[in-house]
Amino acid sequence: MNPQAKLVFAISLLSGTTITISSNHWIMAWTGLEINTLAILPLISKTHHPRAIEAATKYFLVQAAASALILFSSMTNAWQTGQWDITQLTYPTSCLILTAAIAMKLGLAPFHFWFPEVLQGTSLITGLLLSTAMKFPPMTLFFMTSQSLNPTLLTIMALLSAALGGWMGLNQTQTRKILAFSSISHLGWMAIVIVYCPKLALLNFYLYALMTTAVFLTLNSINTLNLSTLMTTWTKTPALSATLMLTLLSLAGLPPLTGFLPKWLIIEELTKQGVAPAATIIALLSLLSLFFYLRLAYCATITLPPHTTNHMKQWHTNKPTSILVAVLAAAS
């Protein structure tokens, strides 16, 4: 892609995000979200591969539907209350529609189906933008309207996201899909606490974005798209692989790493608010995510004999059993 075109799209992304996070009027926030969507579409489809075109089409349809719902929600609220201010969302129906719309924008369950497919069809750098920068404007809308949202609905969606993000990530061998389900699981942690302590949800988002950026950039620098390739990187770049392992364990939330802090604070806040059962369930569901983080960390730091590399290429399928066979072959 032309560097000048990339610069235009990057400036558009920055402008759209700035407009959304700094506006108090629903129409301006909606305009910023639309600018963001239109700017990221050429970056998704820049390779002209059928998978990339499919990913761009899916992304456009989902984001257009979510934007229409946001507009409908704000118009309904303005019709009932006479207010276009984002913080004055008081009409119950508008609150429910907005929650569904932002869940679609973010990829929260049960509106998560598009996200792994879109991430799988793009490059790692575009996937990084989709996982971090593109989620920031919808999160700020959640932040600004947090006092009006339905806690029960958000708790259900959060637990569903943590469960599906962990469960569906178990059977994946593509690193982009694993990181997509990791994102869905983390969004569950943010959604469950946004009503009780919005600043804590933003802290969680910032730390998640920081760690995910490190993982994506590491995978991009070692050109790794699946686990079988990841298993051959330790011999080439041991320092980078060790850093990747630590970052993945931090994403999993293991102490004393950074990722443990937001989860600990969220569980503490939920317990203070009297929703200890939800805190217990989401903490247990994070064990599902821990499994595939540990598998990624193990694959990043395993040392394979040179003769197993060809076998890895032959045995690479969409089943994690192929990786187990390769590890057993290496051990023997």
Side-chain angles (χ1 to χ4, degrees), residues 186-208:
H186 275 87
L187 282 170
W189 283 88
M190 297 172 216
I192 202 169
V193 80
I194 190 83
V195 177
Y196 305 111
C197 185
K199 290 182 180 178
L200 187 52
L202 272 188
L203 171 69
N204 194 356
F205 178 78
Y206 293 147
L207 292 178
Y208 157 76

Side-chain angles (χ1 to χ4, degrees), residues 69-141:
L69 283 176
I70 288 175
L71 203 56
F72 179 63
S73 166
S74 57
M75 287 176 67
T76 310
N77 186 69
W79 189 14
Q80 294 292 332
T81 65
Q83 289 284 344
W84 281 99
D85 197 315
I86 294 177
T87 56
Q88 300 299 318
L89 190 76
T90 53
Y91 187 54
T93 308
S94 296
C95 295
L96 292 176
I97 295 171
L98 180 79
T99 304
I102 297 184
M104 286 177 74
K105 282 273 182 192
L106 290 170
L108 261 175
F111 306 104
H112 67 284
F113 296 102
W114 63 272
F115 189 55
E117 298 299 323
V118 169
L119 220 62
Q120 181 61 24
T122 64
S123 65
L124 283 165
I125 296 299
T126 311
L128 168 61
L129 285 174
L130 288 171
S131 299
T132 55
M134 296 302 292
K135 292 188 187 299
F136 186 49
M139 277 303 296
T140 57
L141 290 180

Side-chain angles (χ1 to χ4, degrees), residues 60-324:
F60 172 73
L61 291 174
V62 172
Q63 297 298 310
S67 293
L69 283 176
I70 288 175
L71 203 56
F72 179 63
S73 166
S74 57
M75 287 176 67
T76 310
N77 186 69
W79 189 14
Q80 294 292 332
T81 65
Q83 289 284 344
W84 281 99
D85 197 315
I86 294 177
T87 56
Q88 300 299 318
L89 190 76
T90 53
Y91 187 54
T93 308
S94 296
C95 295
L96 292 176
I97 295 171
L98 180 79
T99 304
I102 297 184
M104 286 177 74
K105 282 273 182 192
L106 290 170
L108 261 175
F111 306 104
H112 67 284
F113 296 102
W114 63 272
F115 189 55
E117 298 299 323
V118 169
L119 220 62
Q120 181 61 24
T122 64
S123 65
L124 283 165
I125 296 299
T126 311
L128 168 61
L129 285 174
L130 288 171
S131 299
T132 55
M134 296 302 292
K135 292 188 187 299
F136 186 49
M139 277 303 296
T140 57
L141 290 180
F142 254 168
F143 180 82
M144 287 189 280
T145 58
S146 57
Q147 76 282 356
S148 308
L149 301 176
N150 187 333
T152 308
L153 177 62
L154 276 174
T155 301
I156 291 169
M157 292 172 75
L159 294 177
L160 202 57
S161 297
L164 289 173
W167 188 262
M168 295 176 76
L170 295 179
N171 200 35
Q172 303 298 328
T173 57
Q174 300 290 322
T175 51
R176 285 167 295 182
K177 276 199 172 181
I178 290 174
L179 289 170
F181 289 117
S182 156
S183 177
I184 293 166
S185 178
H186 275 87
L187 282 170
W189 283 88
M190 297 172 216
I192 202 169
V193 80
I194 190 83
V195 177
Y196 305 111
C197 185
K199 290 182 180 178
L200 187 52
L202 272 188
L203 171 69
N204 194 356
F205 178 78
Y206 293 147
L207 292 178
Y208 157 76
L210 187 68
M211 293 181 287
T212 303
T213 301
V215 172
F216 267 105
L217 291 179
T218 304
L219 292 175
N220 185 60
S221 66
I222 57 182
N223 197 21
T224 301
L225 297 178
N226 51 58
L227 293 187
S228 57
T229 312
L230 187 62
M231 294 175 76
T232 63
T233 56
W234 177 260
T235 51
K236 301 172 190 173
T237 53
L240 208 55
S241 298
T243 308
L244 178 62
M245 179 196 71
L246 286 173
T247 313
L248 288 166
L249 293 180
S250 182
L251 269 174
L254 290 183
L257 300 168
T258 310
F260 173 66
L261 174 68
K263 291 187 176 180
W264 178 29
L265 293 175
I266 287 171
I267 290 172
E268 185 182 17
E269 181 65 28
L270 291 174
T271 309
K272 282 180 186 174
Q273 297 291 341
V275 280
T280 307
I281 293 169
I282 200 167
L284 290 173
L285 289 174
S286 68
L287 294 175
L288 292 170
S289 306
L290 177 63
F291 176 81
F292 63 72
Y293 286 127
L294 285 174
R295 189 172 62 155
L296 269 174
Y298 176 72
C299 289
T301 52
I302 188 174
T303 307
L304 285 179
H307 68 274
T308 58
T309 308
N310 293 328
H311 295 301
M312 289 295 299
K313 290 178 181 175
Q314 294 170 9
W315 288 339
H316 174 59
T317 63
N318 285 330
K319 297 179 181 177
T321 49
S322 60
I323 294 176
L324 181 62

